[in-house]
Amino acid sequence: MFEISVVVPVYNVKKYLAECLNSLSIQSFMDCEFICIDDGSTDDSHKIIKKYMDRDKRFKLIRQENKGLAETRNVGIRNAHGKYIAFLDADDYFSGSNVLDKLYQIAEENNLDIVSFETELFYEGSLKETDNKDFYYKKKNSYKGIRKGQSFFVEMMENQEYCDSACFLFLRREWMLGHGIMFYPGIFYEDALFCIQCFLHAGRMVHLSEKFYTYRVREKSIMTTEARWENVRSRVVLYREILYILFAIKNQDIQLQESLTDYLALIAFHAKYLDDFRVDGQSDEILEPLDTLLLKTMGLGNYRIEVNEKVILSGLEKLVTDSDGIILYGAGKVGRLFFSFLQDKGLDDKVMCYAVSKQPEEKTYMDGIPVFSIEKAVKKRGQVFLSVVEQQAQREMQKVLVQLGINQFEFFDQYIYRALRNYHQRLKTIGEIHK
């Protein structure tokens, strides 16, 4: 028996693995095990793990054929012997040498089921400009006291700060297994269902504002690759499973029901969002009847609702033509597609600047136009276009605009994004034909 088990799924992350394992090897807490599961890697990751095993008995290695992240974590849970369990992804790392010490002490002194904590974000290269996740992971509010997990979930949802990552939880293993909490295999976003169950079942929980974890935002990770049908299907499965949870708690807690309903709405939005980003063909797989009903209801996959893109693009063109100038708040994929569309229509001179939430460190240009902080950009008094589609990002950016006294602005939805993307693809195809 150990006091702590840390489960580390490993799959083709040789580039980052040493930094991850170093953050474990320097942990001052000794009565623990680090269970590294090589999920069918082809890059000799297991050899790196073995080097750590040779000099630190806390490291263990399990090798298996590829099973995916959810089932790999489940393998770790089944092989864990610790009183408490934590999860560390192999491209991330713990922030400091006494992380496990602090988490263990707080959990033991207060007889807790869960200790939740926060993360620092580490962006590779220029990813922060195109895939900024600060709004999702960084909390502005503090959450005090020892409470039921449901209370934390409701408050975090009200503040739009609930984050569903298993890596930010320190869990009492016996409690977790007693409630049958495991990862749902065969889907992406497996953390969402796992975390909901943790929060809803926790009788004694605390949240720490300390950033014990460093999450790496990198190219070609599960969360930054192009959307596929599997991304959409996974969201539908999550929607279905959390819908079951909502039905089970009826007449118990109105606030909890409202928070779960809001969470389901976010999942539905993300499913639609991913479906519109998806680049592969439709799926012919046989689904459960309820999943098919959800697909039809949400207009996903084969049941996607098509819109009149000509009307959408004509409306955008007229809106910009009639303006004195526009500010594109958001310099990512959507904003740049819009700028490309305006270039083709001869309206790029209407774009005054790109705007971002924080002032760039140096004078920056993108697509030949300047990039300013939103505070500086709105002084130009142009029409603000909130050029992101992701719902939580929109909410955060709307808050910023309201604080700056900007109450009138345009914002994009998934239909506008789809129209712009398809327009761009048609131009690209025509260009290739005329080469």
Side-chain angles (χ1 to χ4, degrees):
M1 290 293 293
F2 298 93
E3 292 301 303
I4 301 174
S5 298
V6 181
V7 175
V8 186
V10 178
Y11 180 70
N12 288 346
V13 285
K14 182 178 179 180
K15 179 180 177 181
Y16 311 103
L17 188 54
E19 190 169 18
C20 171
L21 301 184
N22 281 339
S23 78
L24 290 172
S25 66
I26 65 171
Q27 291 301 309
S28 55
F29 195 91
M30 298 305 296
D31 191 8
C32 56
E33 58 178 351
F34 307 139
I35 307 172
C36 303
I37 306 111
D38 183 357
D39 187 34
S41 297
T42 58
D43 65 354
D44 291 333
S45 291
H46 69 282
K47 293 181 180 179
I48 298 174
I49 299 168
K50 286 182 177 179
K51 289 180 181 179
Y52 283 83
M53 292 172 64
D54 290 340
R55 57 178 182 256
D56 190 333
K57 292 182 179 180
R58 292 177 295 177
F59 284 91
K60 298 181 178 181
L61 172 63
I62 297 173
R63 298 188 68 188
Q64 63 184 31
E65 293 183 1
N66 184 257
K67 296 181 179 180
L69 180 57
E71 185 53 32
T72 298
R73 283 179 174 166
N74 287 340
V75 169
I77 293 170
R78 295 186 193 105
N79 284 274
H81 298 92
K83 181 176 182 179
Y84 298 97
I85 193 163
F87 300 96
L88 176 62
D89 286 348
D91 51 353
D92 301 332
Y93 51 92
F94 284 140
S95 307
S97 61
N98 58 355
V99 168
L100 297 181
D101 267 310
K102 288 184 177 180
L103 291 171
Y104 178 80
Q105 183 177 353
I106 292 167
E108 282 287 284
E109 288 179 353
N110 298 285
N111 189 29
L112 300 175
D113 300 321
I114 301 177
V115 182
S116 72
F117 48 91
E118 298 184 18
T119 184
E120 190 67 53
L121 298 179
F122 176 75
Y123 291 90
E124 278 195 343
S126 61
L127 268 178
K128 188 168 185 176
E129 298 174 10
T130 58
D131 190 26
N132 194 318
K133 297 180 182 293
D134 286 11
F135 68 89
Y136 182 69
Y137 288 103
K138 293 192 175 182
K139 291 179 171 59
K140 297 177 181 177
N141 296 281
S142 59
Y143 298 89
K144 304 293 186 181
I146 300 173
R147 296 188 254 161
K148 289 185 176 181
Q150 295 180 7
S151 173
F152 284 108
F153 174 70
V154 169
E155 187 179 356
M156 289 176 180
M157 283 297 297
E158 287 176 350
N159 293 333
Q160 298 175 19
E161 290 186 336
Y162 173 70
C163 178
D164 46 14
S165 174
C167 290
F168 311 153
L169 301 177
F170 186 75
L171 306 150
R172 187 156 57 86
R173 187 170 63 91
E174 185 178 352
W175 163 84
M176 186 182 74
L177 295 177
H179 286 285
I181 300 174
M182 300 285 279
F183 291 91
Y184 194 109
I187 61 170
F188 296 151
Y189 321 112
E190 62 287 322
D191 281 22
L193 183 57
F194 180 88
C195 290
I196 278 288
Q197 293 179 86
C198 288
F199 273 77
L200 297 191
H201 286 295
R204 292 178 61 81
M205 175 177 175
V206 299
H207 176 79
L208 306 177
S209 296
E210 292 183 74
K211 296 176 179 178
F212 287 139
Y213 194 97
T214 299
Y215 167 56
R216 188 191 305 271
V217 184
R218 64 182 179 91
E219 294 281 6
K220 297 183 179 179
S221 69
I222 291 175
M223 300 305 295
T224 57
T225 48
E226 287 285 349
R228 307 190 302 273
W229 164 248
E230 189 57 32
N231 300 73
V232 178
R233 186 191 74 84
S234 295
R235 286 289 183 186
V236 173
V237 171
L238 287 176
Y239 191 96
R240 178 232 303 162
E241 292 299 314
I242 295 173
L243 196 62
Y244 287 146
I245 293 172
L246 178 61
F247 290 157
I249 65 163
K250 61 182 179 180
N251 302 323
Q252 290 184 26
D253 187 322
I254 297 300
Q255 281 188 310
L256 179 59
Q257 289 179 42
E258 289 177 351
S259 295
L260 278 171
T261 301
D262 289 342
Y263 189 60
L264 280 169
L266 280 174
I267 294 173
F269 174 87
H270 289 146
K272 190 77 177 177
Y273 175 73
L274 290 164
D275 197 45
D276 288 326
F277 271 74
R278 194 157 53 82
V279 294
D280 59 347
Q282 303 295 317
S283 171
D284 296 323
E285 68 177 297
I286 298 174
L287 301 172
E288 292 188 16
L290 179 55
D291 290 350
T292 301
L293 174 62
L294 293 173
L295 286 169
K296 289 182 178 180
T297 304
M298 291 187 272
L300 301 172
N302 291 323
Y303 309 103
R304 179 186 289 177
I305 300 169
E306 297 299 334
V307 295
N308 192 328
E309 293 177 358
K310 184 176 180 180
V311 171
I312 289 175
L313 296 178
S314 296
L316 287 173
E317 186 176 352
K318 185 175 189 321
L319 198 58
V320 174
T321 300
D322 293 344
S323 73
D324 294 326
I326 68 169
I327 297 165
L328 293 180
Y329 187 11
K333 181 184 291 186
V334 182
R336 301 187 75 179
L337 275 177
F338 187 38
F339 181 76
S340 178
F341 167 74
L342 295 179
Q343 275 186 314
D344 188 63
K345 297 298 180 180
L347 293 171
D348 48 307
D349 60 335
K350 288 278 191 176
V351 183
M352 305 171 79
C353 64
Y354 283 112
V356 293
S357 294
K358 292 185 178 180
Q359 178 66 41
E361 294 182 2
E362 300 177 354
K363 193 170 185 179
T364 304
Y365 287 83
M366 187 176 292
D367 300 324
I369 58 174
V371 180
F372 296 132
S373 69
I374 187 61
E375 290 89 344
K376 185 174 181 180
V378 295
K379 292 178 181 178
K380 296 181 176 294
R381 311 191 73 82
Q383 176 69 50
V384 177
F385 277 71
L386 213 165
S387 53
V388 297
V389 179
E390 214 287 328
Q391 196 171 50
Q392 285 182 277
Q394 282 189 352
R395 288 177 176 175
E396 287 296 316
M397 293 162 80
Q398 286 177 34
K399 284 183 185 177
V400 172
L401 289 173
V402 171
Q403 289 170 358
L404 293 171
I406 309 299
N407 296 305
Q408 292 187 341
F409 45 85
E410 306 295 333
F411 62 90
F412 292 173
D413 60 16
Q414 66 267 25
Y415 299 114
I416 291 175
Y417 166 74
R418 190 196 303 170
L420 289 170
R421 184 193 65 186
N422 290 347
Y423 179 86
H424 182 73
Q425 288 176 342
R426 286 195 294 271
L427 286 183
K428 183 178 179 181
T429 300
I430 292 171
E432 290 174 350
I433 290 173
H434 289 289
K435 280 183 180 179

